[in-house]
Amino acid sequence: MVELLGDTGLSLVYLVAAILFIQGLRDMTHPRTAVRGNLTSAAGMFVAVAATVIAFEILDPAILLAGLVVGGAIGTVLAVKVQMTEMPQLVGFFNGMGGGASALVAGAEVVQLGSANGGAIPAEVGVAAAASGIIGAVTFTGSLVAAGKLHGLVTGSAIRYTGEHVVKAALLAIAVASGLYMIVQPDVLAGVLQGSAVPSFWLLLVAASVLGVTLVISIGGADMPVVIALLNAYSGLAAAGTGFVLGNSALIIAGTLVGAAGMILTVIMCESMNRSLTNVLFGGFGEAGTSDDEVDEIYEGNITETSPTEVEMLLDTASRVVIVPGYGMAVAQAQHAVAELSELLAENDVDVEFGIHPVAGRMPGHMNVLLAEADVPYDRMTELEEVNPTFAQTDVVFVIGANDVVNPLANTDDSSPIAGMPVLNVAEAGTVVVNKRSLSPGFSGIPNPLFAEDNCLMLFGDGQEMAQEVVGEYKESH
């Protein structure tokens, strides 16, 4: 440790970084302050990293600088190039990198301590390293699989096989046993360093890495947002564990904050889907599809199609309109056209709001960010609890790219996969216009009886094209 900072100075710098982390998380709880929160948290991380580089002789400064430049360049390119619709899988990828880095850093410290002390490591370091290694490795491979499912590189279906839970239990047992052996018999490292034994820590990493793949590959793509939130918590816990290994308070605080925030997010998403975390991990949501006969029984002869011209006529006579965005809007990049439509309606004294379901996108806040990107005022974005009581007084609801979050089966069919899930009760409005490419089911794999209701009109086609045509019709009539 150099004299430039000293123990007290380093602790004070880490305290400043921790304060910035906490304030950043606080700001990220609302879309209006989220950008500031990201910048504040980034500043805290910069302070922590800079202090660590200055205070400890880790590597040659030139190598560290090169790593920072390369990493910063990659992050900048990803931030600029990746589309908003791809943010969930990018978050998953970042979770994996964080977990993997934590596990490898903990392993490097274990080897270094073992080499310096003839194979012996303190028990508390062994416990923290084993925890960081298991959680970090599971996070690394599990996050890559989750990101792959969301991006279409890995099948979105749940891959199940006979004895899968036995395999997972065996892998976990191997990882835990390896960690215990490292803690109870640390002299194993002496043999490792002489090249005469297999390091228990690396065996732990291998078993935990395979476990991460088996855990996530058996979960359907519909549940990947919840899985990514959970893995986000895991990445924080892995970082905190590595902080204990290194005796680094900044890493402990940052990891604990990420772990707590990720777990809270996971709970919120589970509540929004009315499902327990156990059900998400083992329930196979969306696996059981609906037969063609059942679909025909619901839809055949009951679907009423409409056109942009007819939609404009409905909007022209409405005094209150609620727009319900879904993931289909994000995929179609229709947020700007929808934002323009809402502005035109507001200019003509129409009371217009956006009804946003917590899991309408692939992560909570996804729709809010997309709409904010299109300059939709924050006061027009209304959460489920606030907007639901107003649908009965709404003339027109325009649902664009949403399916499961407006499915009334959640309220009427106890046997449905989405039974009890809080949904937007759009059917209570005077008229519901639903824009989708087809009648294909949502993530749950079940049909939506809303589409066959008497007050529902289906506007089939690409979300962006349809919204732009409605905007064009509205402009011509005004």
Side-chain angles (χ1 to χ4, degrees):
M1 186 174 292
V2 298
E3 295 180 357
L4 181 62
L5 287 176
D7 290 333
T8 302
L10 184 63
S11 297
L12 287 175
V13 172
Y14 282 165
L15 178 60
V16 171
I19 292 172
L20 291 172
F21 292 150
I22 294 170
Q23 182 60 43
L25 277 176
R26 182 179 182 277
D27 288 343
M28 282 190 279
T29 59
H30 194 282
R32 195 183 298 274
T33 56
V35 173
R36 185 178 68 199
N38 269 308
L39 294 175
T40 302
S41 299
M45 185 56 67
F46 176 80
V47 169
V49 170
T52 303
V53 169
I54 292 172
F56 297 96
E57 295 179 2
I58 303 172
L59 287 172
D60 183 273
I63 296 177
L64 285 172
L65 180 60
L68 290 173
V69 170
V70 172
I74 294 173
T76 301
V77 170
L78 289 174
V80 173
K81 295 292 185 180
V82 173
Q83 297 293 326
M84 280 302 304
T85 51
E86 299 172 341
M87 280 298 146
Q89 46 264 53
L90 181 61
V91 170
F93 177 76
F94 283 160
N95 288 343
M97 295 300 103
S102 297
L104 291 177
V105 170
E109 185 69 9
V110 166
V111 171
Q112 182 177 357
L113 287 174
S115 177
N117 301 310
I121 58 173
E124 62 272 16
V125 173
V127 171
S132 179
I134 293 174
I135 298 172
V138 167
T139 302
F140 174 66
T141 56
S143 295
L144 293 183
V145 173
K149 280 179 174 281
L150 286 177
H151 205 61
L153 300 176
V154 179
T155 177
S157 302
I159 299 177
R160 318 302 289 266
Y161 51 91
T162 304
E164 61 175 295
H165 298 310
V166 175
V167 172
K168 296 171 188 175
L171 289 168
L172 179 60
I174 293 172
V176 172
S178 299
L180 290 174
Y181 186 64
M182 180 183 68
I183 297 165
V184 178
Q185 300 287 340
D187 57 333
V188 69
L189 286 173
V192 171
L193 297 172
Q194 295 169 10
S196 60
V198 176
S200 56
F201 186 82
W202 306 127
L203 177 59
L204 175 154
L205 285 188
V206 171
S209 296
V210 178
L211 176 62
V213 174
T214 59
L215 283 172
V216 179
I217 203 75
S218 62
I219 303 174
D223 283 323
M224 283 305 107
V226 180
V227 172
I228 284 179
L230 181 62
L231 291 170
N232 182 35
Y234 285 177
S235 70
L237 295 176
T242 300
F244 281 108
V245 173
L246 300 175
N248 188 303
S249 58
L251 195 55
I252 294 171
I253 293 171
T256 303
L257 288 172
V258 172
M263 190 56 66
I264 291 171
L265 180 60
T266 302
V267 171
I268 290 173
M269 295 190 70
C270 286
E271 290 179 349
S272 298
M273 299 170 70
N274 193 42
R275 304 177 65 216
S276 67
L277 183 57
T278 302
N279 184 255
V280 169
L281 296 177
F282 304 107
F285 184 55
E287 281 187 281
T290 305
S291 69
D292 291 339
D293 290 341
E294 291 176 298
V295 172
D296 289 341
E297 183 180 348
I298 295 173
Y299 291 152
E300 191 170 9
N302 298 318
I303 300 300
T304 304
E305 293 189 40
T306 188
S307 65
T309 301
E310 292 178 350
V311 173
E312 185 280 325
M313 293 172 64
L314 286 169
L315 296 175
D316 200 31
T317 59
S319 58
R320 174 174 168 76
V321 173
V322 174
I323 300 173
V324 176
Y327 185 67
M329 183 195 77
V331 173
Q333 294 286 294
Q335 64 268 28
H336 294 284
V338 172
E340 184 178 5
L341 177 61
S342 70
E343 195 61 37
L344 291 171
L345 292 169
E347 289 174 359
N348 285 278
D349 298 324
V350 177
D351 178 15
V352 57
E353 286 185 339
F354 287 81
I356 300 178
H357 192 282
V359 292
R362 288 189 168 181
M363 294 187 75
H366 197 184
M367 291 297 102
N368 302 73
V369 173
L370 281 174
L371 294 172
E373 182 186 47
D375 297 324
V376 173
Y378 292 115
D379 55 8
R380 287 188 194 162
M381 304 181 199
T382 311
E383 301 300 328
L384 179 145
E385 295 82 3
E386 298 176 49
V387 75
N388 257 350
T390 70
F391 281 122
Q393 291 80 45
T394 300
D395 299 306
V396 178
V397 173
F398 187 19
V399 180
I400 177 165
N403 196 330
D404 292 331
V405 298
V406 295
N407 193 329
L409 285 178
N411 299 325
T412 60
D413 186 357
D414 292 337
S415 64
S416 170
I418 62 172
M421 182 178 106
V423 293
L424 293 159
N425 300 321
V426 298
E428 296 177 2
T431 303
V432 182
V433 177
V434 178
N435 168 230
K436 279 174 57 69
R437 287 181 177 274
S438 67
L439 290 171
S440 59
F443 281 140
S444 65
I446 60 175
N448 190 340
L450 169 70
F451 304 159
E453 293 285 344
D454 292 338
N455 66 334
C456 182
L457 303 174
M458 298 300 299
L459 180 63
F460 292 114
D462 177 77
Q464 184 180 107
E465 293 178 4
M466 291 299 100
Q468 288 175 339
E469 288 192 30
V470 172
V471 167
E473 295 284 349
Y474 197 87
K475 285 181 176 179
E476 283 187 15
S477 66
H478 291 80

